[in-house]
Amino acid sequence: MENIRTQIQGLRPELPLRMITLPDGENLNTMWLNYGADGILEFLKNPTGEIPNNTLEIHNDFKISYKAKTGTFYVIGTLPMDLGNMRVALQILEHDTAKKHRLKIDLFDTFNVQNQCKELSEKQGFDANLLEADLLHFTDLLEEYRETLFNAEINPITDKFSANELTPQAHEKAVDFLSKPRLLNNIDKLLEQSGIVGEEENRMLLFVLASSYKMPYLLHGLIQGSSGEGKTHLINGMAECMPQEDVMNMTRITSKSLYHYRDKELINKLILIQDFDGLDEEAQFAFREMQSAKFLTSSTVVKDMFGNTRGKMKQVLAHFASLTATTKAEVYYDNMSRSVVLGVDESQEQTLRIIKAQNLKIAGISNSESEQVAKQLLRNTMRVLKSYEVVNPFADKLMLPLEAKMLRRLNSQFQNFVSQITILHQYQRKTDSKGRLIATKEDVQKGVEIFFSSIIIKVDELDKSTRQFFELLKGFVKRQPNGTTYKFTMREIRQELNISKTSAFKYIQILQELEYIQAVEGSVSKGFKYKISYWDNLEKLKAKIKEDLNNQLKQL
């Protein structure tokens, strides 16, 4: 620097030169980024070389400070969120004496600010002009900070995750992943890598359902299963593979809350409800109306600008997919019909897989970094997907089994499911003259393959949990000496199948009501003996339905 100064003085001896040491860790570039051109000029004018403070310090929701030339200003209490008002409780702490001055001031009222500065100048010795300049700059900073709070409240949909995670390199990697063949198989491998153990039938089905949240063909999933069998873990694991800025994870929904969301808060969201049983009748009604109609309207009473009460229509728009969990075997018909119903795998093999994964994680053997990589890639694939309409030339050539319950809505769900598979393949599919993606025969085949378990649940009279219990019960009875005529007690079944008294009682009651088993001996005081009265053959029915669907697929 001495050499540079000597050279400049030799070239332009008339220029005054002064050397100032920059603060540690700073250069002119970082100072310009942090403090701007005005900040650098203030720094150069200041003989001490102290960096001017042009930012607020947010201590908490009730205390904000700003270090100015005349002192340190503190706003005590909350900022008024009325954008036309800036009346605050202010403390001014003098730099030299640490003396505090407290006042109430409206920073938007120029006359009030000037009077306060004049009074402090006369009584406390402040420089009125410098104090007023500090207060004006402080007001600008507070106004800017308040607008960020206001925007965050009004527009809670942010890109804070997307901006950090979807870098240009990540975008390119996600597009490349979506462009490769065997896409659904690759997604399934990533789901397993992300920590979703087993559930081969359900995890791809759930992923396709969840991925529809910002597409034209919205899908909803309802997962049934006994308590403690992993329903919540499954939907939470799926949610972690979706962009976190788009996920709304709800434990409880009050009866009126859905009517009070703002215009776009429920647009392009994935909603998770941990326990659907906890919703009261009004909340369930509002939720299913949003699923079907994609909006809620309510007539409320408001006061107009003249103070008169009048009626007003309020509308909440909704465009979301949802995943919900329930322990109930029979859910209200209207709720069930709007969702694709799944049942968790309650088999012992699945239990052993989960225990093994838990033990490996606790032992530090499983690779947590690999899990995060899989989740991150799946999130970014969702971020790069665009919304398309789909035309399916094979839609009228496939008929679902007539034995299925709620067939009209089931058919609509299946067709939307195939369309969503096409959307996932958008980097590999052609478009028609109207810009719509064209579904292929492979999309339909994959749709049938993945959606098949949900079709069977709608065909079967028993829910998935009860069906698994009944199949185990039939296997136990067949192994006994008397075969199909064997009489069993509830205690015997509890011990043999290793289930709780509550679960056994629930399953036995359901099977009795549906006349699959009947009590043939005993009494209330001594207990009953039961026998199976209806031996259905679900495997045979599944094989028949599968064969019928495969025959239809061959004709495409």
Side-chain angles (χ1 to χ4, degrees), residues 193-394:
Q193 184 181 328
S194 72
I196 301 177
V197 182
E199 296 289 356
E200 290 84 357
E201 282 188 356
N202 289 330
R203 64 190 182 204
M204 266 312 301
L205 178 56
L206 278 173
F207 181 85
V208 177
L209 298 180
S211 67
S212 68
Y213 71 90
K214 59 179 180 179
M215 305 304 172
Y217 310 98
L218 298 173
L219 294 162
H220 307 276
L222 177 64
I223 306 174
Q224 293 178 320
S226 304
S227 179
E229 294 298 333
K231 303 180 300 300
T232 302
H233 177 74
L234 184 58
I235 63 174
N236 286 339
M238 193 58 59
E240 288 178 5
C241 298
M242 295 290 148
Q244 296 303 285
E245 65 270 21
D246 298 332
V247 176
M248 298 178 69
N249 201 333
M250 301 180 180
T251 305
R252 175 174 171 262
I253 300 177
T254 58
S255 56
K256 303 291 185 183
S257 63
L258 292 176
Y259 292 91
H260 296 288
Y261 278 92
R262 294 191 179 97
D263 288 345
K264 295 184 179 180
E265 287 183 312
L266 297 178
I267 299 295
N268 294 345
K269 292 293 181 183
L270 173 63
I271 295 180
L272 269 65
I273 301 178
Q274 304 290 340
D275 190 351
F276 199 69
D277 307 342
L279 274 65
D280 62 23
E281 188 175 341
E282 174 113 17
Q284 290 188 22
F285 168 76
F287 188 72
R288 64 174 177 264
E289 286 305 306
M290 294 178 102
Q291 286 177 311
S292 293
K294 299 182 180 61
F295 65 86
L296 274 180
T297 55
S298 56
S299 178
T300 61
V301 176
V302 296
K303 282 191 175 182
D304 61 19
M305 59 187 296
F306 304 107
N308 302 317
T309 56
R310 63 182 183 86
K312 181 182 178 181
M313 290 292 291
K314 181 179 179 182
Q315 186 178 68
V316 179
L317 300 178
H319 186 95
F320 63 85
S322 66
L323 301 178
T324 58
T326 178
T327 56
K328 289 184 178 179
E330 282 296 325
V331 182
Y332 182 57
Y333 187 87
D334 257 8
N335 296 330
M336 274 188 84
S337 65
R338 286 169 168 80
S339 299
V340 177
V341 182
L342 305 86
V344 293
D345 185 354
E346 300 182 18
S347 66
Q348 188 173 9
E349 293 78 12
Q350 173 65 4
T351 302
L352 293 174
R353 283 193 289 266
I354 292 173
I355 291 172
K356 181 181 178 182
Q358 291 172 344
N359 293 345
L360 290 174
K361 193 167 188 177
I362 294 171
I365 299 173
S366 60
N367 190 343
S368 58
E369 290 184 8
S370 175
E371 287 185 16
Q372 291 304 317
V373 168
K375 291 175 184 177
Q376 193 64 55
L377 180 53
L378 288 171
R379 289 174 189 170
N380 288 334
T381 58
M382 289 307 306
R383 291 186 177 113
V384 301
L385 285 175
K386 298 176 183 177
S387 178
Y388 279 98
E389 287 189 24
V390 175
V391 56
N392 181 1
F394 309 101

Side-chain angles (χ1 to χ4, degrees), residues 4-17:
I4 292 173
R5 183 168 67 170
T6 303
Q7 291 175 32
I8 293 175
Q9 285 179 334
L11 293 170
R12 299 288 300 274
E14 74 279 7
L15 290 178
L17 294 178

Side-chain angles (χ1 to χ4, degrees), residues 289-522:
E289 286 305 306
M290 294 178 102
Q291 286 177 311
S292 293
K294 299 182 180 61
F295 65 86
L296 274 180
T297 55
S298 56
S299 178
T300 61
V301 176
V302 296
K303 282 191 175 182
D304 61 19
M305 59 187 296
F306 304 107
N308 302 317
T309 56
R310 63 182 183 86
K312 181 182 178 181
M313 290 292 291
K314 181 179 179 182
Q315 186 178 68
V316 179
L317 300 178
H319 186 95
F320 63 85
S322 66
L323 301 178
T324 58
T326 178
T327 56
K328 289 184 178 179
E330 282 296 325
V331 182
Y332 182 57
Y333 187 87
D334 257 8
N335 296 330
M336 274 188 84
S337 65
R338 286 169 168 80
S339 299
V340 177
V341 182
L342 305 86
V344 293
D345 185 354
E346 300 182 18
S347 66
Q348 188 173 9
E349 293 78 12
Q350 173 65 4
T351 302
L352 293 174
R353 283 193 289 266
I354 292 173
I355 291 172
K356 181 181 178 182
Q358 291 172 344
N359 293 345
L360 290 174
K361 193 167 188 177
I362 294 171
I365 299 173
S366 60
N367 190 343
S368 58
E369 290 184 8
S370 175
E371 287 185 16
Q372 291 304 317
V373 168
K375 291 175 184 177
Q376 193 64 55
L377 180 53
L378 288 171
R379 289 174 189 170
N380 288 334
T381 58
M382 289 307 306
R383 291 186 177 113
V384 301
L385 285 175
K386 298 176 183 177
S387 178
Y388 279 98
E389 287 189 24
V390 175
V391 56
N392 181 1
F394 309 101
D396 60 338
K397 298 176 176 61
L398 195 70
M399 181 67 185
L400 298 182
L402 295 176
E403 298 94 332
K405 300 184 288 289
M406 300 171 274
L407 185 57
R408 294 182 183 182
R409 276 187 170 157
L410 181 65
N411 182 71
S412 174
Q413 290 162 359
F414 172 72
Q415 297 296 353
N416 289 344
F417 191 83
V418 173
S419 297
Q420 184 56 29
I421 288 177
T422 306
I423 290 173
L424 289 173
H425 287 85
Q426 62 184 243
Y427 289 94
Q428 306 177 35
R429 297 291 179 262
K430 296 178 181 179
T431 56
D432 65 4
S433 58
K434 297 181 180 179
R436 300 175 297 181
L437 290 176
I438 303 174
T440 65
K441 178 182 175 181
E442 289 72 24
D443 295 336
V444 180
Q445 288 174 328
K446 274 293 182 182
V448 171
E449 179 185 330
I450 300 171
F451 202 76
F452 184 73
S453 60
S454 187
I455 295 173
I456 295 302
I457 287 177
K458 290 290 177 76
V459 170
D460 194 0
E461 192 175 18
L462 305 178
D463 67 275
K464 185 69 177 287
S465 295
T466 308
R467 168 57 62 185
Q468 292 182 65
F469 170 81
F470 188 49
E471 293 301 317
L472 292 173
L473 176 62
K474 288 195 294 185
F476 165 72
V477 170
K478 286 178 180 178
R479 293 194 299 269
Q480 304 310 309
N482 297 339
T484 57
T485 61
Y486 181 75
K487 301 171 186 176
F488 53 89
T489 64
M490 194 180 295
R491 177 195 291 271
E492 191 177 8
I493 295 304
R494 286 203 318 268
Q495 294 175 344
E496 176 66 26
L497 302 184
N498 192 27
I499 60 175
S500 67
K501 178 182 177 181
T502 304
S503 297
F505 180 79
K506 180 185 75 171
Y507 293 137
I508 292 293
Q509 189 176 33
I510 292 172
L511 292 172
Q512 276 189 284
E513 289 174 356
L514 296 175
E515 299 178 345
Y516 280 70
I517 66 173
Q518 61 181 357
V520 291
E521 292 180 17

